[in-house]
């Protein structure tokens, strides 16, 4: 339940960006990571499906796909990450 939050305690810094993925938004590992990230002063961002769960409630920002299918939720998360990587690539190669 604390695998990610413990890593953030050791490595996270105020102002860092924490992006989490959770199909349901209720995985205790991910929820605890957001809680710890918020305590540290990180910018927290959740990409979630279903009703968004606890992650949507506690993250600073979120992308919520209101879909009740884990496979589709995870597929949509991958699409968002690919879009982010494409944008990062474009910015770094100007």
């Amino acid at each position: 339940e604390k695998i990610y939050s413990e890593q953030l305690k050791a490595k996270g810094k105020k102002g860092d960006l924490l992006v989490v993925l959770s199909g349901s938004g209720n995985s205790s590992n991910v929820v605890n990571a957001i809680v710890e990230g918020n305590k540290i002063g990180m910018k927290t961002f959740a990409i979630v499906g279903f009703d968004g769960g606890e992650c949507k409630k506690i993250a600073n920002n979120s992308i919520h796909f209101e879909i009740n299918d884990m496979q589709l939720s995870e597929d949509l998360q991958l699409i968002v990450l690919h879009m982010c990587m494409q944008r990062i690539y474009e910015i770094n190669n100007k």
Side-chain angles (χ1 to χ4, degrees), residues 26-87:
N26 289 313
S27 169
S28 59
N29 277 324
V30 178
V31 170
N32 289 335
I34 295 172
V35 169
E36 186 61 33
N38 287 338
K39 283 182 193 174
I40 293 168
M42 298 175 80
K43 298 171 186 170
T44 56
F45 201 103
I47 306 173
V48 293
F50 290 81
D51 68 357
E54 190 66 17
C55 289
K56 182 181 173 194
K57 294 175 188 172
I58 63 174
N60 300 137
N61 298 286
S62 65
I63 294 176
H64 174 216
F65 296 105
E66 201 169 329
I67 189 161
N68 294 325
D69 181 295
M70 188 60 75
Q71 182 65 47
L72 291 176
S73 177
E74 291 173 352
D75 290 345
L76 291 166
Q77 291 169 342
L78 286 173
I79 291 169
V80 170
L81 292 176
H82 285 298
M83 293 169 66
C84 291
M85 291 307 300
Q86 180 64 37
R87 184 67 180 130

